[in-house]
Amino acid sequence: MGAYILRRLMLVIPTLIGIMIVNFALIQFVPGGPIEQIIAQLEGQGDVFEGIAGGGSEIAGASNEGSYVGAQGLPAEFIAELEREFGFDKPPLERFLNMIWNYMRFDFGESWFRKISVFDLVLEKMPVSITLGLWSTLIAYLVSIPLGIKKAVRDGTPFDTWTSGAIIVGYAIPGFLFAILLIVLFAGGSYFRIFPLRGLTSSNFEDLTLIGKVLDYFWHITLPVLASTISAFATLTLLTKNSFLDEIKKQYVITAKAKGLSESRVLYGHVFRNAMLIVISGFPALFIGVFFGGSLIIETLFSLDGLGRLGFEAAVARDYPVVFGTLFAFSLIGLVVGILTDLTYVFIDPRIDFEARG
């Protein structure tokens, strides 16, 4: 098992490089780069020119020359200086190799527009995304697995029928719509003001006791976590039920029951290990999906400043260091979670031998 884990860890590096190559190549064809963004701001706000170029007098009388569409009216020397400042005066291959070398040392550079280290920026936003991703995934598994098992055991009963209806309704409701419903009902929208509407903690968080900090933290994350969990909960419950139903009908289960084993012993001693493999295999996708994809809308609705929102705003502003920094962080987390999933396989079913497969 140790050799397998070592091989997986060694594969992380080329996988990350491959992901960065694809996205770096795509970025080269995206219109409206950071220089065009700055030029658009300069043409709309004259005082921005002073903050970036050190003065605005050069705009007057400038020629129409420039390599960018939005650069018409600005001096060619100013555009060339912007290119040198952002590193666009170098060939794409050289820029990519420099970026990869820096990333290997966890040097993500500095945000072009926020003037702060990308590493510090990612660390600053990480708690929000970890909160949404970790708690939503944990709750989904803790609720969906027992419920799915019970539905499989009581397949066809009234309990299975009405819970299936509730699950289908939950699956049909988009997470952002459920979030709006929670805000309207419980965050002072139109009815009750039970939970706060924004932020991860209260303004007086540092003055609270340890127990007070814990309670304040959970008070703030209740609604966003519920909104993030709803769709994952429905999918995971049905997946667990179908997986257990498939295993219950197999011959080894009939044989185990014929030997006089109790239903609980058969279910959790034999069926559980086999049925849970397909459920666990979806953990990385579920975690990363909630961690990034689903967090953007939820973070916006609940005024949470996390990685999803950071990555989206950076993509819109063409803040490439932040874009690639967050992409690198998400890719690395996804690959590590995949390795942890394999370890969970072995924990659930020790008969699995990755060494033999290797």
Side-chain angles (χ1 to χ4, degrees):
M1 188 65 185
Y4 171 77
I5 296 176
L6 181 60
R7 289 198 302 270
R8 287 292 302 271
L9 289 175
M10 292 177 64
L11 284 173
V12 167
I13 296 178
T15 303
L16 281 174
I17 293 177
I19 293 173
M20 302 305 291
I21 288 176
V22 172
N23 286 275
F24 185 86
L26 291 175
I27 285 295
Q28 308 308 309
F29 301 100
V30 176
I35 297 179
E36 287 183 321
Q37 295 283 340
I38 291 180
I39 292 172
Q41 294 177 10
L42 296 182
E43 292 182 339
Q45 301 178 8
D47 58 341
V48 180
F49 184 87
E50 297 180 0
I52 298 176
S57 60
E58 291 180 328
I59 296 181
S63 65
N64 291 330
E65 296 179 357
S67 58
Y68 293 91
V69 176
Q72 296 179 3
L74 294 176
E77 296 80 6
F78 173 69
I79 303 302
E81 178 62 29
L82 281 180
E83 291 179 347
R84 285 192 295 271
E85 180 180 347
F86 288 102
F88 286 102
D89 58 327
K90 301 176 182 178
L93 179 59
E94 182 179 350
R95 299 203 312 268
F96 176 77
L97 293 177
N98 290 335
M99 182 185 71
I100 291 297
W101 170 245
N102 292 331
Y103 280 17
M104 297 297 289
R105 297 176 293 146
F106 289 93
D107 179 10
F108 302 129
E110 187 179 82
S111 169
W112 285 342
F113 301 109
R114 304 193 186 202
K115 299 305 178 183
I116 182 176
S117 168
V118 175
F119 189 83
D120 294 337
L121 198 58
V122 170
L123 288 182
E124 178 186 338
K125 312 300 182 183
M126 187 74 78
V128 172
S129 296
I130 288 180
T131 293
L132 292 178
L134 185 61
W135 285 112
S136 298
T137 306
L138 183 62
I139 292 174
Y141 270 81
L142 289 178
V143 174
S144 298
I145 291 176
L147 180 59
I149 294 174
K150 190 170 184 179
K151 285 175 62 62
V153 173
R154 302 179 63 178
D155 183 44
T157 63
F159 171 81
D160 179 47
T161 302
W162 72 262
T163 53
S164 295
I167 289 172
I168 292 173
V169 172
Y171 183 76
I173 299 177
F176 74 90
L177 187 59
F178 186 62
I180 295 175
L181 178 63
L182 291 176
I183 292 173
V184 171
L185 292 178
F186 303 112
S190 299
Y191 296 91
F192 307 101
R193 187 181 291 274
I194 301 175
F195 298 98
L197 180 59
R198 63 182 64 243
L200 201 60
T201 56
S202 300
S203 57
N204 63 335
F205 181 78
E206 297 298 332
D207 300 329
L208 300 175
T209 63
L210 178 60
I211 297 179
K213 289 180 179 179
V214 172
L215 293 177
D216 182 75
Y217 170 75
F218 283 106
W219 182 47
H220 279 77
I221 71 172
T222 298
L223 296 187
V225 167
L226 286 177
S228 301
T229 307
I230 184 69
S231 60
F233 161 78
T235 304
L236 191 57
T237 301
L238 294 179
L239 178 63
T240 304
K241 176 193 172 182
N242 294 332
S243 180
F244 270 80
L245 279 178
D246 291 340
E247 292 296 324
I248 288 174
K249 297 176 182 178
K250 292 184 177 179
Q251 183 62 42
Y252 75 89
V253 176
I254 299 175
T255 303
K257 290 181 179 179
K259 290 182 177 180
L261 296 180
S262 64
E263 183 175 349
S264 177
R265 177 70 181 278
V266 173
L267 189 62
Y268 294 101
H270 297 276
V271 176
F272 183 83
R273 292 187 302 178
N274 298 322
M276 283 302 297
L277 293 178
I278 190 173
V279 177
I280 293 175
S281 65
F283 177 80
L286 176 62
F287 178 76
I288 297 301
V290 176
F291 187 67
F292 179 67
S295 65
L296 172 59
I297 300 178
I298 302 301
E299 288 173 11
T300 302
L301 289 174
F302 289 97
S303 300
L304 300 173
D305 199 7
L307 285 177
R309 192 172 177 181
L310 172 67
F312 174 76
E313 292 176 351
V316 172
R318 303 296 193 267
D319 195 347
Y320 291 155
V322 178
V323 171
F324 287 117
T326 54
L327 174 66
F328 185 88
F330 281 121
S331 301
L332 182 60
I333 291 173
L335 293 171
V336 172
V337 169
I339 297 175
L340 294 178
T341 301
D342 288 347
L343 296 179
T344 310
Y345 280 155
V346 178
F347 177 76
I348 294 289
D349 191 349
R351 296 172 300 175
I352 295 178
D353 186 4
F354 289 106
E355 294 290 347
R357 187 182 70 175

